Amino acid sequence: MNAAGVRSLARIVARDDGRGGTALPVLASDGPLALRRTRATGAGARVMLVGAMSGPLGGDHFAVRGRVEQGARLTVGSAAATIALPGQTKGEARYDVALDVADHAELHWLPEQLISAQGSDLYVTTRVELAATARLVLREEQVLGRAGERPGRLTSRLTVRVAGRLVLDQELACGPGAPGGWDGPAVLAGHRAMGQIIVVRPEFATEPVDSVMLGPGAALMPLAGPAALVTAVAPDALRLRRLLDETLATLG
Protein backbone atom coordinates (compact mmCIF):
# COMPACT_ATOMS: atom_id res chain seq x y z
CA MET A 1 0.00 0.00 0.00
CA ASN A 2 1.30 3.45 -0.84
CA ALA A 3 1.34 6.46 1.47
CA ALA A 4 -1.97 7.69 0.12
CA GLY A 5 -3.78 4.41 0.75
CA VAL A 6 -5.50 2.11 -1.72
CA ARG A 7 -7.91 3.37 -4.39
CA SER A 8 -10.58 1.05 -5.76
CA LEU A 9 -13.51 1.63 -8.11
CA ALA A 10 -16.32 -0.76 -9.07
CA ARG A 11 -18.80 0.09 -11.85
CA ILE A 12 -22.09 -1.58 -12.76
CA VAL A 13 -24.49 -0.77 -15.58
CA ALA A 14 -27.70 -2.79 -15.96
CA ARG A 15 -29.71 -2.54 -19.20
CA ASP A 16 -32.95 -4.02 -20.52
CA ASP A 17 -31.82 -6.64 -23.05
CA GLY A 18 -34.98 -6.36 -25.18
CA ARG A 19 -35.87 -10.02 -24.57
CA GLY A 20 -37.48 -9.69 -21.17
CA GLY A 21 -34.23 -9.86 -19.24
CA THR A 22 -31.45 -7.61 -17.93
CA ALA A 23 -27.95 -7.37 -19.42
CA LEU A 24 -24.81 -6.09 -17.68
CA PRO A 25 -22.81 -4.24 -20.36
CA VAL A 26 -20.52 -2.81 -17.68
CA LEU A 27 -19.26 -4.92 -14.78
CA ALA A 28 -15.81 -3.61 -13.94
CA SER A 29 -13.77 -3.48 -10.74
CA ASP A 30 -10.21 -3.22 -9.51
CA GLY A 31 -8.15 -3.52 -6.36
CA PRO A 32 -9.97 -4.74 -3.26
CA LEU A 33 -13.42 -4.61 -4.89
CA ALA A 34 -14.51 -7.43 -7.21
CA LEU A 35 -17.88 -7.83 -8.94
CA ARG A 36 -19.36 -11.21 -9.84
CA ARG A 37 -22.59 -11.91 -11.71
CA THR A 38 -24.58 -14.70 -10.04
CA ARG A 39 -27.68 -16.66 -10.93
CA ALA A 40 -30.90 -14.65 -10.76
CA THR A 41 -34.56 -15.52 -11.09
CA GLY A 42 -37.05 -13.68 -13.28
CA ALA A 43 -36.16 -10.73 -15.48
CA GLY A 44 -33.53 -9.18 -13.23
CA ALA A 45 -29.76 -9.52 -12.97
CA ARG A 46 -27.92 -10.25 -9.72
CA VAL A 47 -24.41 -9.09 -8.79
CA MET A 48 -22.28 -9.86 -5.74
CA LEU A 49 -19.63 -7.47 -4.43
CA VAL A 50 -16.67 -9.49 -3.18
CA GLY A 51 -13.87 -8.06 -1.04
CA ALA A 52 -10.62 -9.31 -2.55
CA MET A 53 -8.57 -8.11 0.45
CA SER A 54 -9.02 -6.51 3.87
CA GLY A 55 -10.39 -3.03 4.17
CA PRO A 56 -11.09 -0.28 3.91
CA LEU A 57 -8.07 0.64 6.00
CA GLY A 58 -7.00 4.10 7.11
CA GLY A 59 -6.34 6.30 4.07
CA ASP A 60 -8.14 4.00 1.59
CA HIS A 61 -10.81 5.26 -0.79
CA PHE A 62 -13.30 2.74 -2.19
CA ALA A 63 -16.06 3.73 -4.60
CA VAL A 64 -18.97 1.97 -6.28
CA ARG A 65 -20.92 3.47 -9.19
CA GLY A 66 -24.14 1.81 -10.31
CA ARG A 67 -26.65 2.70 -13.03
CA VAL A 68 -29.87 0.86 -13.79
CA GLU A 69 -31.21 1.95 -17.16
CA GLN A 70 -34.84 2.17 -18.22
CA GLY A 71 -36.75 -1.08 -17.78
CA ALA A 72 -33.87 -3.01 -16.19
CA ARG A 73 -33.94 -4.79 -12.83
CA LEU A 74 -30.86 -5.29 -10.67
CA THR A 75 -30.11 -6.80 -7.27
CA VAL A 76 -26.71 -6.16 -5.67
CA GLY A 77 -25.49 -7.94 -2.56
CA SER A 78 -22.13 -8.66 -0.97
CA ALA A 79 -20.45 -11.96 -0.19
CA ALA A 80 -19.53 -11.00 3.38
CA ALA A 81 -19.53 -8.15 5.84
CA THR A 82 -17.25 -5.18 5.20
CA ILE A 83 -14.86 -4.50 8.08
CA ALA A 84 -13.35 -1.03 8.52
CA LEU A 85 -9.88 -1.48 10.04
CA PRO A 86 -7.03 0.77 11.18
CA GLY A 87 -4.15 0.89 8.72
CA GLN A 88 -0.51 1.92 8.45
CA THR A 89 -1.61 5.13 6.72
CA LYS A 90 -3.09 7.60 9.18
CA GLY A 91 -6.30 9.39 8.42
CA GLU A 92 -9.86 8.70 7.46
CA ALA A 93 -10.89 5.99 5.02
CA ARG A 94 -13.75 6.63 2.60
CA TYR A 95 -16.35 4.39 0.99
CA ASP A 96 -18.57 6.20 -1.54
CA VAL A 97 -21.56 4.69 -3.33
CA ALA A 98 -23.43 6.50 -6.12
CA LEU A 99 -26.53 4.90 -7.66
CA ASP A 100 -28.72 6.07 -10.54
CA VAL A 101 -32.05 4.38 -11.37
CA ALA A 102 -33.97 5.34 -14.53
CA ASP A 103 -37.71 5.33 -15.25
CA HIS A 104 -39.44 1.94 -14.93
CA ALA A 105 -36.22 0.44 -13.58
CA GLU A 106 -35.76 -1.29 -10.22
CA LEU A 107 -32.77 -1.64 -7.89
CA HIS A 108 -32.40 -3.77 -4.77
CA TRP A 109 -29.22 -2.71 -2.96
CA LEU A 110 -28.71 -5.25 -0.17
CA PRO A 111 -25.11 -5.43 1.08
CA GLU A 112 -24.08 -7.25 4.24
CA GLN A 113 -23.18 -5.39 7.41
CA LEU A 114 -20.47 -2.76 7.74
CA ILE A 115 -18.45 -3.39 10.92
CA SER A 116 -16.48 -0.55 12.51
CA ALA A 117 -13.47 -2.20 14.19
CA GLN A 118 -11.58 -0.57 17.06
CA GLY A 119 -9.11 2.06 15.88
CA SER A 120 -10.69 2.54 12.45
CA ASP A 121 -12.01 5.83 11.04
CA LEU A 122 -14.41 5.53 8.11
CA TYR A 123 -16.67 7.99 6.31
CA VAL A 124 -19.37 6.37 4.17
CA THR A 125 -21.60 8.17 1.68
CA THR A 126 -24.47 6.69 -0.31
CA ARG A 127 -26.16 8.88 -2.91
CA VAL A 128 -29.15 7.66 -4.90
CA GLU A 129 -30.83 9.45 -7.82
CA LEU A 130 -34.12 7.97 -9.00
CA ALA A 131 -36.40 8.89 -11.89
CA ALA A 132 -40.09 9.49 -11.15
CA THR A 133 -41.19 5.89 -11.89
CA ALA A 134 -38.09 4.11 -10.55
CA ARG A 135 -38.30 1.59 -7.71
CA LEU A 136 -35.78 1.01 -4.94
CA VAL A 137 -35.11 -1.18 -1.92
CA LEU A 138 -31.90 -0.13 -0.15
CA ARG A 139 -30.61 -1.63 3.09
CA GLU A 140 -27.84 -0.32 5.34
CA GLU A 141 -26.61 -2.15 8.44
CA GLN A 142 -23.77 -0.96 10.66
CA VAL A 143 -22.22 -2.70 13.66
CA LEU A 144 -20.04 -0.88 16.18
CA GLY A 145 -17.07 -3.10 16.96
CA ARG A 146 -16.45 -6.80 16.66
CA ALA A 147 -17.33 -9.13 19.56
CA GLY A 148 -15.83 -7.84 22.80
CA GLU A 149 -14.30 -4.79 21.10
CA ARG A 150 -14.85 -1.05 21.28
CA PRO A 151 -15.93 0.61 18.02
CA GLY A 152 -13.92 2.76 15.71
CA ARG A 153 -15.23 6.07 14.44
CA LEU A 154 -17.92 5.69 11.79
CA THR A 155 -19.70 8.49 9.96
CA SER A 156 -22.36 7.66 7.38
CA ARG A 157 -24.48 9.87 5.15
CA LEU A 158 -27.40 8.71 2.99
CA THR A 159 -28.99 10.98 0.38
CA VAL A 160 -31.93 9.97 -1.84
CA ARG A 161 -33.59 12.06 -4.54
CA VAL A 162 -36.63 11.18 -6.65
CA ALA A 163 -37.11 13.13 -9.90
CA GLY A 164 -34.59 15.64 -8.56
CA ARG A 165 -36.50 16.16 -5.31
CA LEU A 166 -34.74 15.42 -2.04
CA VAL A 167 -36.65 12.85 0.02
CA LEU A 168 -33.93 11.86 2.51
CA ASP A 169 -30.64 13.38 3.65
CA GLN A 170 -29.28 12.15 6.96
CA GLU A 171 -25.91 11.73 8.61
CA LEU A 172 -24.92 9.88 11.74
CA ALA A 173 -21.51 9.82 13.46
CA CYS A 174 -20.61 7.25 16.12
CA GLY A 175 -17.55 6.20 18.07
CA PRO A 176 -14.52 8.06 19.47
CA GLY A 177 -14.50 11.73 18.51
CA ALA A 178 -18.11 11.77 17.32
CA PRO A 179 -20.42 14.50 18.64
CA GLY A 180 -21.74 13.77 22.10
CA GLY A 181 -24.98 11.88 22.55
CA TRP A 182 -24.59 9.29 19.80
CA ASP A 183 -24.79 6.44 22.33
CA GLY A 184 -27.46 8.12 24.46
CA PRO A 185 -31.20 7.41 24.69
CA ALA A 186 -32.08 9.70 21.74
CA VAL A 187 -29.86 7.81 19.26
CA LEU A 188 -28.51 4.29 19.91
CA ALA A 189 -29.44 3.91 23.59
CA GLY A 190 -26.46 1.65 24.17
CA HIS A 191 -27.13 -0.67 21.21
CA ARG A 192 -24.25 -1.86 19.02
CA ALA A 193 -26.11 -2.38 15.73
CA MET A 194 -28.16 0.09 13.69
CA GLY A 195 -29.78 -0.12 10.31
CA GLN A 196 -32.33 1.20 7.90
CA ILE A 197 -34.22 0.28 4.77
CA ILE A 198 -35.55 2.84 2.33
CA VAL A 199 -38.26 1.72 -0.10
CA VAL A 200 -39.25 3.89 -3.07
CA ARG A 201 -42.37 2.98 -5.06
CA PRO A 202 -44.38 5.30 -7.33
CA GLU A 203 -47.64 4.22 -5.68
CA PHE A 204 -46.48 5.65 -2.35
CA ALA A 205 -47.05 9.13 -3.83
CA THR A 206 -50.84 8.64 -3.61
CA GLU A 207 -50.97 5.90 -0.95
CA PRO A 208 -48.25 6.67 1.62
CA VAL A 209 -47.49 4.18 4.35
CA ASP A 210 -48.63 4.80 7.91
CA SER A 211 -46.13 5.58 10.65
CA VAL A 212 -45.80 2.52 12.88
CA MET A 213 -43.67 1.72 15.93
CA LEU A 214 -42.62 -1.90 15.63
CA GLY A 215 -41.55 -2.61 19.18
CA PRO A 216 -38.91 -0.66 21.13
CA GLY A 217 -36.23 -0.94 18.44
CA ALA A 218 -37.84 -0.33 15.05
CA ALA A 219 -40.12 2.13 13.29
CA LEU A 220 -41.68 2.56 9.86
CA MET A 221 -42.44 6.05 8.59
CA PRO A 222 -43.41 7.76 5.32
CA LEU A 223 -41.07 10.26 3.71
CA ALA A 224 -41.96 13.45 1.84
CA GLY A 225 -42.22 11.71 -1.52
CA PRO A 226 -43.00 8.21 -2.88
CA ALA A 227 -40.83 6.60 -0.21
CA ALA A 228 -40.86 4.93 3.18
CA LEU A 229 -38.08 4.56 5.74
CA VAL A 230 -37.51 1.74 8.21
CA THR A 231 -35.04 2.39 11.03
CA ALA A 232 -33.93 -0.05 13.70
CA VAL A 233 -31.41 -0.53 16.49
CA ALA A 234 -30.49 -3.83 18.15
CA PRO A 235 -27.90 -5.38 20.45
CA ASP A 236 -26.24 -7.30 17.59
CA ALA A 237 -26.24 -7.85 13.83
CA LEU A 238 -28.42 -10.96 13.89
CA ARG A 239 -31.26 -9.29 15.75
CA LEU A 240 -30.92 -6.17 13.63
CA ARG A 241 -31.39 -8.17 10.41
CA ARG A 242 -34.42 -9.90 11.87
CA LEU A 243 -36.00 -6.57 12.81
CA LEU A 244 -35.39 -5.08 9.37
CA ASP A 245 -36.69 -8.16 7.54
CA GLU A 246 -39.83 -8.29 9.63
CA THR A 247 -40.50 -4.62 9.07
CA LEU A 248 -39.89 -4.86 5.32
CA ALA A 249 -42.35 -7.74 5.17
CA THR A 250 -45.10 -5.42 6.38
CA LEU A 251 -44.67 -3.50 3.10
CA GLY A 252 -45.28 -6.61 1.03
Side-chain angles (χ1 to χ4, degrees):
M1 184 173 69
N2 60 41
V6 172
R7 300 293 184 266
S8 185
L9 172 63
R11 296 182 296 120
I12 310 168
V13 175
R15 180 176 298 161
D16 185 346
D17 66 5
R19 303 187 302 272
T22 297
L24 297 173
V26 177
L27 195 64
S29 54
D30 58 28
L33 298 177
L35 297 172
R36 300 289 184 266
R37 182 165 189 169
T38 61
R39 185 181 300 274
T41 59
R46 182 176 180 85
V47 172
M48 297 297 288
L49 185 61
V50 180
M53 58 187 287
S54 297
L57 309 178
D60 291 354
H61 188 178
F62 294 0
V64 181
R65 305 286 182 261
R67 187 170 81 250
V68 188
E69 297 183 352
Q70 185 166 342
R73 299 178 63 183
L74 176 65
T75 297
V76 179
S78 58
T82 297
I83 305 178
L85 296 165
Q88 295 179 357
T89 300
K90 299 299 182 182
E92 177 185 79
R94 292 189 63 93
Y95 199 133
D96 298 321
V97 177
L99 307 170
D100 189 347
V101 189
D103 275 313
H104 307 292
E106 183 170 349
L107 172 63
H108 289 217
W109 187 264
L110 304 170
E112 294 301 309
Q113 297 90 357
L114 170 61
I115 301 172
S116 174
Q118 186 172 358
S120 64
D121 185 0
L122 178 64
Y123 188 84
V124 182
T125 64
T126 304
R127 297 181 296 276
V128 189
E129 297 281 347
L130 298 113
T133 58
R135 304 172 75 88
L136 173 73
V137 177
L138 182 146
R139 181 181 69 210
E140 284 191 339
E141 297 172 309
Q142 296 158 350
V143 181
L144 302 180
R146 294 168 292 191
E149 171 183 82
R150 294 178 59 83
R153 176 164 179 170
L154 175 63
T155 305
S156 63
R157 183 173 182 179
L158 172 62
T159 306
V160 179
R161 289 181 171 84
V162 179
R165 179 185 178 188
L166 186 67
V167 298
L168 179 67
D169 187 354
Q170 65 178 27
E171 182 172 290
L172 177 64
C174 302
W182 63 269
D183 56 350
V187 186
L188 295 185
H191 292 94
R192 290 171 53 89
M194 54 194 170
Q196 56 194 347
I197 295 176
I198 182 167
V199 180
V200 178
R201 297 176 182 168
E203 56 266 31
F204 286 168
T206 55
E207 299 178 6
V209 303
D210 295 324
S211 297
V212 181
M213 287 296 299
L214 300 155
L220 167 65
M221 65 195 76
L223 297 177
L229 177 67
V230 176
T231 58
V233 295
D236 55 54
L238 181 62
R239 278 177 277 190
L240 175 66
R241 177 66 61 85
R242 186 180 301 126
L243 271 173
L244 290 174
D245 285 349
E246 290 172 354
T247 307
L248 183 60
T250 68
L251 296 173

